[in-house]
Amino acid sequence: MTSQTADRFKPFGTTIFAEMSRLAAEHKAVNLSQGFPDFDGPDFVKQAAIDAINQGHNQYARSPGQPILVEQLAERFQSRTGLEVDPLSQITVTSGCTEAIATTLLGIVNPGDEVILFEPYYDSYRACIAMAQATPRFVSMRPTNGRFAFDPDELKAAFTDRTRAILVNTPHNPTGSVLTREELTQIANLCKAHDTIAVADEVYEDLVFDREHISIASLPGMSDRTVTLSSLGKSFSLTGWKVGWAVASPELSAAVRSAHQFLTYATSTPFQHAAAAALRDGGDYIADLCTQYRTARDMLATELDALGFGVIVPEGTYFILADHSAISTKLGVDNDIDLALKLTSEFGVTTIPPSVFCETKDLCSSYLRFAFCKQEATLTEAIRRLKRLND
Ligand code: GLN
């Protein structure tokens, strides 16, 4: 069969998240690969969606977002960053943050521009850069003093006079690093020096443990050169609702909207109404979720360490990136992909092999990513199965 896929997508194949979740189902494995909770979001938010449907909020939404939601988002953004934004001209609601990433890059980047991304990176970044016909520049995150961090000199060297944008993902998937003010200031200074736009993916902003999440938009001189992206899914355990948003200056928002209107036009109307309710009344839910995830993180980190994985405890997100060298040596496997396949088919636990998130293959091939956004019983069962590694 000859491939009908356009050349621009050929290098990417099927996304690893769909692939590993499919394999997990096929082998009846405990799925710690794709990052989604195995429990439901809050009842009051689900009820708000049902009410919105029953009240007749079922036709196209306003293309950049329902007023009830963008007003809530403007308030939330101001309380978190201190920046006042106009809800109607500065916020664009998208179908999840993945659409916000695509829409932003397609809306602001010209063919031949350069876009910097930190590796390991969320897989859609690389594909969206290809869709925008831009050139990616990679900066590595490596274990440095007990956390993953970039080398400031490597970052500086990645900027050129063609750098249009840098993708700043904090808290960072998959390493779990929460970028510090110092790190964000280094990035901001380079953005200002090279007239570069920061595209800040902050979807894990609520999932931080003993760390402060800082939006790069709030740093001096950055509010007009940052597009801040986030979503409802991670904070409210509703990843299937696909409600995301982009906050930016009116000029950058106009660029974002130029693509959004032709990609999806608008996002599901009733879910926007429910998202507004979640953001208005959901503070306690998020605080409790964070406590639950901290417990899950500590439990999984301790158990993986006892099994022989080299764990770098994440500062945020719901992922642990663990070094599998000792385990793979024992099993006679020499890379993350083969180990992830073996753990799925022979041990019944599925993870993500992070080398698919890296251009520099050896940067990531000694790690596996474990998602801990799961019920305690799920994590306990995964550990019980993995204990066979030491039989
Ligand atoms: N962000 C999720 C993760 O990293 C996956 C999103 C998706 O499946 N597209 O696991």
Side-chain angles (χ1 to χ4, degrees):
M1 224 169 66
T2 32
S3 166
Q4 299 291 336
T5 306
D7 293 344
R8 69 172 76 84
F9 289 114
K10 283 204 180 115
F12 306 115
T14 303
T15 154
I16 194 72
F17 303 116
E19 193 60 25
M20 296 315 287
S21 281
R22 186 188 64 74
L23 278 176
E26 187 182 311
H27 292 276
K28 298 193 170 43
V30 179
N31 188 359
L32 305 187
S33 64
Q34 194 176 22
F36 63 87
D38 64 347
F39 50 89
D40 235 349
D43 286 341
F44 82 91
V45 185
K46 292 196 291 183
Q47 191 57 49
I50 294 164
D51 292 345
I53 290 172
N54 286 333
Q55 285 159 10
H57 295 295
N58 298 306
Q59 306 307 329
Y60 296 127
R62 172 179 168 265
S63 172
Q66 288 300 81
I68 192 173
L69 177 55
V70 292
E71 277 159 23
Q72 198 65 48
L73 285 168
E75 207 173 286
R76 176 180 175 278
F77 191 74
Q78 181 168 4
S79 77
R80 291 176 178 216
T81 60
L83 299 168
E84 203 172 318
V85 289
D86 171 44
L88 294 179
S89 63
Q90 294 192 247
I91 295 176
T92 308
V93 176
T94 56
S95 295
C97 190
T98 300
E99 189 222 308
I101 294 160
T103 283
T104 302
L105 291 175
L106 290 172
I108 66 171
V109 171
N110 280 308
D113 284 350
E114 293 179 5
V115 177
I116 298 174
L117 63 170
F118 294 95
E119 60 175 351
Y121 49 78
Y122 178 53
D123 68 345
S124 90
Y125 296 168
R126 183 70 189 80
C128 288
I129 292 169
M131 282 194 263
Q133 294 175 272
T135 305
R137 296 268 168 217
F138 302 95
V139 176
S140 304
M141 304 272 285
R142 294 177 192 276
T144 317
N145 304 323
R147 62 193 286 276
F148 285 88
F150 61 83
D151 170 356
D153 292 331
E154 193 187 330
L155 178 69
K156 194 167 174 214
F159 276 82
T160 73
D161 56 7
R162 303 215 330 249
T163 309
R164 174 65 170 151
I166 178 167
L167 282 151
V168 183
N169 174 214
T170 181
H172 184 257
N173 173 15
T175 66
S177 284
V178 177
L179 298 189
T180 62
R181 189 171 295 278
E182 193 189 344
E183 288 170 324
L184 291 169
T185 301
Q186 287 162 357
I187 299 170
N189 288 343
L190 288 162
C191 286
K192 286 183 270 183
H194 292 269
D195 197 17
T196 295
I197 295 164
V199 178
D201 173 353
E202 303 185 355
V203 290
Y204 299 97
E205 62 187 311
D206 286 317
L207 309 182
V208 289
F209 314 109
D210 309 316
R211 287 290 185 289
E212 186 195 5
H213 165 73
I214 302 167
S215 289
I216 193 166
S218 69
L219 267 50
M222 287 305 288
S223 63
D224 282 347
R225 60 171 65 257
T226 302
V227 185
T228 306
L229 314 178
S230 194
S231 73
L232 195 74
K234 278 73 178 171
S235 301
F236 287 94
S237 315
L238 295 164
T239 61
W241 282 23
K242 302 296 289 175
V243 178
W245 51 82
V247 186
S249 67
E251 294 73 21
L252 280 172
S253 293
V256 168
R257 291 172 183 191
S258 65
H260 165 73
Q261 63 181 341
F262 294 127
L263 279 175
T264 57
Y265 179 71
T267 297
S268 165
T269 311
F271 290 122
Q272 292 196 46
H273 284 261
L279 296 170
R280 189 180 58 234
D281 298 325
D284 290 348
Y285 178 82
I286 292 174
D288 291 348
L289 184 70
C290 222
T291 307
Q292 175 190 333
Y293 281 158
R294 179 199 305 267
T295 307
R297 173 198 69 164
D298 292 346
M299 186 274 242
L300 188 61
T302 307
E303 296 287 354
L304 289 176
D305 183 74
L307 284 168
F309 287 94
V311 174
I312 292 187
V313 180
E315 301 164 337
T317 76
Y318 44 48
F319 304 114
I320 291 179
L321 206 54
D323 189 313
H324 61 70
S325 307
I327 307 282
S328 44
T329 305
K330 192 150 84 185
L331 295 179
V333 175
D334 66 5
N335 65 65
D336 59 335
I337 296 176
D338 290 348
L339 182 61
L341 294 176
K342 198 174 177 72
L343 291 186
T344 299
S345 60
E346 292 176 28
F347 291 83
V349 177
T350 306
T351 58
I352 292 281
S355 60
V356 299
F357 303 145
C358 292
E359 203 70 5
T360 314
K361 287 300 168 206
D362 65 350
L363 184 68
C364 294
S365 61
S366 63
Y367 295 95
L368 286 180
R369 192 193 79 172
F370 294 80
F372 58 83
C373 44
K374 307 291 170 183
Q375 297 174 62
E376 194 185 336
T378 309
L379 296 173
T380 308
E381 176 59 16
I383 294 300
R384 191 187 68 77
R385 294 180 181 200
L386 288 175
K387 283 197 169 137
R388 279 186 41 232
L389 284 168
N390 290 334
D391 281 354

